[in-house]
Amino acid sequence: MANNRDVNESTPLLDSDSGNRPSPPSVFQGRRLACAAILLAESLERIAFYGITSNLVLFLNSSPFYWEGTQASQAPLMFMGVTYLISPFGGWLADAYLGKFWTIASSLILYLIGMLFFPFISNEDSRINLCGEEMAFPVQPAECLSTNSTPPSNVTCPIRTPYCGPVVYSGLFLIALGVGTVKSNITPFGADQVKDRGPEATRRFFNWFYWCINLGAILSLGGVAYIQQNLSFELGFIIPTVCLGVSFLVFLLGRTVFITKPADGSAFTDMFKILGFACCSQKPKEPNLLRNKPKLLDSAKVTYGGKFPEEKVEELKALVKVLPVFLALIPYWTVYFQMQTTYILQSLHLKIPNTASNITTVSHQMTFRFPAAWLTMFDAVLILMLIPLKDKVVDPILKRRGLLPSSLKRIAVGMFFVMWSAVAAGILETKRLEIIKSNGTIDQVLGNVIYHAADLPIWWQVPQYVLIGISEIFASIAGLEFAYSAAPKSMQSAIMGLFFFFSGIGSFVGFGLLALVSIKEIGWMSSHKDFGNINDCSLHYYFFLLAGIQGVTLLVFLIVSVKYDKQRGRAGSQRQRHISS
């Protein structure tokens, strides 16, 4: 409630007369400008983010970099892994020192510095100054070029060191630091603008927040990705950099209408102190201090002879109960991040029909103008269409009938759909390899690089993108809602940071699995005949492996979620009895 706010909390003047309105017509009444500023800043930031990630595989796979397919796919996986792993640090920084507003503002500056690397890397003169001259390709022994057998154990197939690798990764690392810190704070900061309007306002804000994320993705994929592939990577990197600068200005100017809070201590600091005391400190032996036999964390409470208030320990126990849910989401994120890595790599080796601009009579090479990254828009467009339908029609009907599923049940549904996305990708890859084996390949030019593609239309990838989009509506939005609602008020940034932290682990799991299946003994992703080529690989095994891992995890998650919902229900009924008594 307004009169229960902290004395240091900053509230916009636009909301000063809200107490005179007995029943505002909208849950966003008086907060629309603040919410609009956050949503606009987030949309512009997403244009910048997808301006880097959507065509990163193509950028590193093409002239003059020529990174191998595995290396080019691992770069965005590592980037997204660092992005999400850094999120808890961003939450800690906001809670302990800067507050959410100034943490987001300073992170956007760091983000902007990282973005500036890429226009310079894509410009020939500045790239040579930063990275040096392009390296020659290593000479491959004949055994490495054979498509019918694995190279003998005594033959070493040299791998070309990724050209400009340190500079590319430095830029990606700076962007990841900025994105991760912004990500862990802007969601709870936006929810703070409407949290006193009740859970309905928070739920609707998360729906529209996610809608704006995908609006930014569509604008970036629709415009920036086309420019990068068909006009110039340099111009295609300048545009998202400018968008990020505008996002920073919008957010900074929004300070006059934002509800802001000062830093009031980090839950992470308290958390590690309590864990250290409970695990390592000597427990009291005086029987008068002991009521029942304490559990591990209970021993840190003052009432059990510890040093910490009961409220702080109970908050940490609430966080510990949430962790199994986050752990179960790791395989979901591993599959989800394939959309911007191996799914793109697969699309580069499928035929893009009805877009040929010319055919040369000598080599029958076809030059395509349709950006491969555009298929990612099926995911974003689906979300843009279905979220308003869900928010305005489906959820209200289910809520009136008492059938609105819990956030954990929606996450389980999302896991089911993402599993079938990986299965669809594996089936398509199996068919693609069969066509190449029987009919050979066609040559298509994308980003000034010739790709040896199967004569199979790229539209066959649509089902896997649609399935991953449906999964996102259930799992990702419900995950954000669960993380925010399950968190005690003092730990909302911390739990939101941990939600993204485990997303990052999922990305690194994908990175590690790609490295594992690329070793000579397995060889699913090893091809030395052509840099970036996957026609001699077994990418379908990798997709089926991901689907299998997700399927097993879904079964485990169903057990965990049922137990958690029961515990939460019991805790709620106990609180009700305590209040009534």
Side-chain angles (χ1 to χ4, degrees):
M1 304 297 287
N3 51 356
N4 289 333
R5 288 197 184 103
D6 190 286
V7 292
N8 293 319
E9 185 174 321
S10 169
T11 309
L13 293 176
L14 287 173
D15 199 39
S16 59
D17 64 338
S18 61
N20 298 325
R21 301 190 189 103
S23 55
S26 168
V27 291
F28 297 120
Q29 185 72 36
R31 308 291 167 78
R32 286 195 178 94
L33 200 54
C35 291
I38 291 171
L39 296 177
L40 177 58
E42 179 65 11
S43 295
L44 290 167
E45 184 272 328
R46 289 291 91 183
I47 291 174
F49 178 81
Y50 285 102
I52 290 294
T53 60
S54 62
N55 265 332
L56 187 59
V57 171
L58 179 63
F59 178 63
L60 298 176
N61 213 208
S62 60
S63 175
F65 303 97
Y66 295 115
W67 288 23
E68 284 195 4
T70 302
Q71 295 169 338
S73 296
Q74 285 177 320
L77 283 172
M78 179 176 285
F79 162 69
M80 288 181 285
V82 174
T83 294
Y84 290 105
L85 287 177
I86 209 72
S87 291
F89 169 77
W92 169 80
L93 186 66
D95 291 341
Y97 295 105
L98 300 180
K100 292 186 185 75
F101 176 84
W102 288 113
T103 302
I104 294 169
S106 56
S107 299
L108 286 171
I109 295 173
L110 193 66
Y111 192 166
L112 188 59
I113 293 171
M115 289 290 296
L116 288 169
F117 271 64
F118 285 86
F120 287 108
I121 293 172
S122 53
N123 178 273
E124 184 177 358
D125 294 333
S126 54
R127 181 181 61 248
I128 291 173
N129 290 330
L130 288 169
C131 308
E133 295 288 345
E134 180 185 349
M135 295 177 294
F137 287 90
V139 177
Q140 298 284 351
E143 293 84 352
C144 296
L145 302 177
S146 173
T147 59
N148 299 320
S149 61
T150 303
S153 57
N154 62 338
V155 174
T156 301
C157 299
I159 298 175
R160 182 177 184 255
T161 304
Y163 173 56
C164 215
V167 180
V168 169
Y169 276 112
S170 296
L172 289 175
F173 183 72
L174 285 173
I175 295 172
L177 287 177
V179 174
T181 309
V182 168
K183 189 175 282 289
S184 64
N185 286 290
I186 197 164
T187 312
F189 183 70
D192 283 348
Q193 311 305 310
V194 296
K195 72 175 183 180
D196 60 336
R197 303 295 174 87
E200 175 70 7
T202 302
R203 182 189 64 80
R204 291 190 62 192
F205 173 80
F206 280 132
N207 278 344
W208 288 108
F209 182 83
Y210 218 79
W211 191 87
C212 286
I213 285 175
N214 286 278
L215 175 64
I218 284 179
L219 292 174
S220 186
L221 293 167
V224 175
Y226 179 88
I227 291 169
Q228 288 173 344
Q229 179 175 305
N230 295 302
L231 299 178
S232 162
F233 267 108
E234 184 178 356
L235 178 60
F237 286 136
I238 289 173
I239 292 171
T241 305
V242 171
C243 286
L244 186 65
V246 175
S247 174
F248 172 70
L249 291 176
V250 168
F251 186 78
L252 209 60
L253 293 172
R255 186 166 182 248
T256 56
V257 295
F258 290 152
I259 294 173
T260 59
K261 296 179 181 179
D264 57 358
S266 169
F268 279 117
T269 304
D270 294 335
M271 180 178 74
F272 286 117
K273 286 180 180 178
I274 293 170
L275 286 172
F277 183 88
C279 296
C280 306
S281 298
Q282 202 168 17
K283 309 300 182 290
K285 296 180 180 178
E286 294 84 346
N288 61 325
L289 289 176
L290 302 177
R291 299 177 297 186
N292 300 318
K293 187 176 180 181
K295 297 178 182 178
L296 178 64
L297 294 176
D298 287 335
S299 62
K301 295 178 180 178
V302 171
T303 51
Y304 284 102
K307 302 192 302 183
F308 300 93
E310 186 158 334
E311 181 186 359
K312 290 288 185 185
V313 178
E314 288 299 320
E315 287 177 352
L316 178 57
K317 288 169 72 175
L319 184 146
V320 171
K321 289 177 183 176
V322 169
L323 290 183
V325 177
F326 290 174
L327 282 166
L329 274 168
I330 289 175
Y332 171 84
W333 294 115
T334 301
V335 179
Y336 176 81
F337 288 127
Q338 303 308 311
M339 182 171 58
Q340 291 153 330
T341 53
T342 52
Y343 283 14
I344 295 289
L345 197 61
Q346 184 185 51
S347 70
L348 297 175
H349 293 82
L350 290 166
K351 179 184 177 183
I352 305 174
N354 302 324
T355 55
S357 61
N358 62 69
I359 300 177
T360 62
T361 56
V362 178
S363 60
H364 301 288
Q365 294 176 1
M366 301 177 70
T367 302
F368 299 102
R369 296 297 180 191
F370 180 92
W374 274 12
L375 278 181
T376 313
M377 285 199 296
F378 280 100
D379 164 71
V381 169
L382 195 69
I383 289 170
L384 283 182
M385 291 190 301
L386 292 184
I387 282 181
L389 181 67
K390 178 177 180 291
D391 183 66
K392 298 290 187 181
V393 180
V394 178
D395 284 357
I397 292 173
L398 292 176
K399 188 178 180 182
R400 282 196 300 269
R401 297 182 180 182
L403 299 175
L404 189 65
S406 69
S407 53
L408 292 182
K409 288 185 175 70
R410 281 177 276 151
I411 290 172
V413 173
M415 288 180 170
F416 176 80
F417 280 108
V418 87
M419 175 186 71
W420 282 104
S421 174
V423 170
I427 293 172
L428 176 61
E429 184 64 13
T430 303
K431 183 65 177 177
R432 195 188 70 82
L433 292 175
E434 287 176 1
I435 289 174
I436 286 174
K437 189 174 181 180
S438 59
N439 301 335
T441 63
I442 60 170
D443 291 347
Q444 60 185 17
V445 179
L446 294 166
N448 299 320
V449 174
I450 298 174
Y451 286 90
H452 307 300
D455 192 7
L456 181 66
I458 196 172
W459 309 121
W460 285 104
Q461 272 198 318
V462 171
Q464 66 203 56
Y465 281 102
V466 168
L467 287 166
I468 218 167
I470 295 171
S471 83
E472 207 173 341
I473 292 169
F474 285 99
S476 195
I477 295 176
L480 286 173
E481 185 182 330
F482 172 78
Y484 190 81
S485 62
K489 288 184 179 179
S490 64
M491 300 190 77
Q492 281 167 345
S493 282
I495 285 191
M496 199 64 71
L498 285 174
F499 173 77
F500 292 120
F501 176 84
F502 283 100
S503 307
I505 293 178
S507 184
F508 273 112
V509 168
F511 177 92
L513 283 174
L514 267 179
L516 181 66
V517 300
S518 296
I519 63 175
K520 187 191 297 184
E521 288 74 15
I522 299 175
W524 292 357
M525 285 295 290
S526 298
S527 175
H528 299 279
K529 183 180 179 182
D530 173 41
F531 289 87
N533 182 34
I534 59 170
N535 295 332
D536 299 328
C537 301
S538 300
L539 186 58
H540 54 312
Y541 293 157
Y542 177 70
F543 290 141
F544 289 137
L545 174 65
L546 293 178
I549 293 171
Q550 178 60 84
V552 173
T553 309
L554 174 58
L555 295 176
V556 175
F557 181 80
L558 288 171
I559 298 170
V560 171
S561 62
V562 169
K563 288 182 66 177
Y564 183 88
D565 278 340
K566 285 182 178 178
Q567 288 177 353
R568 203 171 183 186
R570 282 198 298 267
S573 60
Q574 287 172 2
R575 275 197 302 270
Q576 285 294 108
R577 285 198 298 269
H578 178 73
I579 292 170
S580 60
S581 62

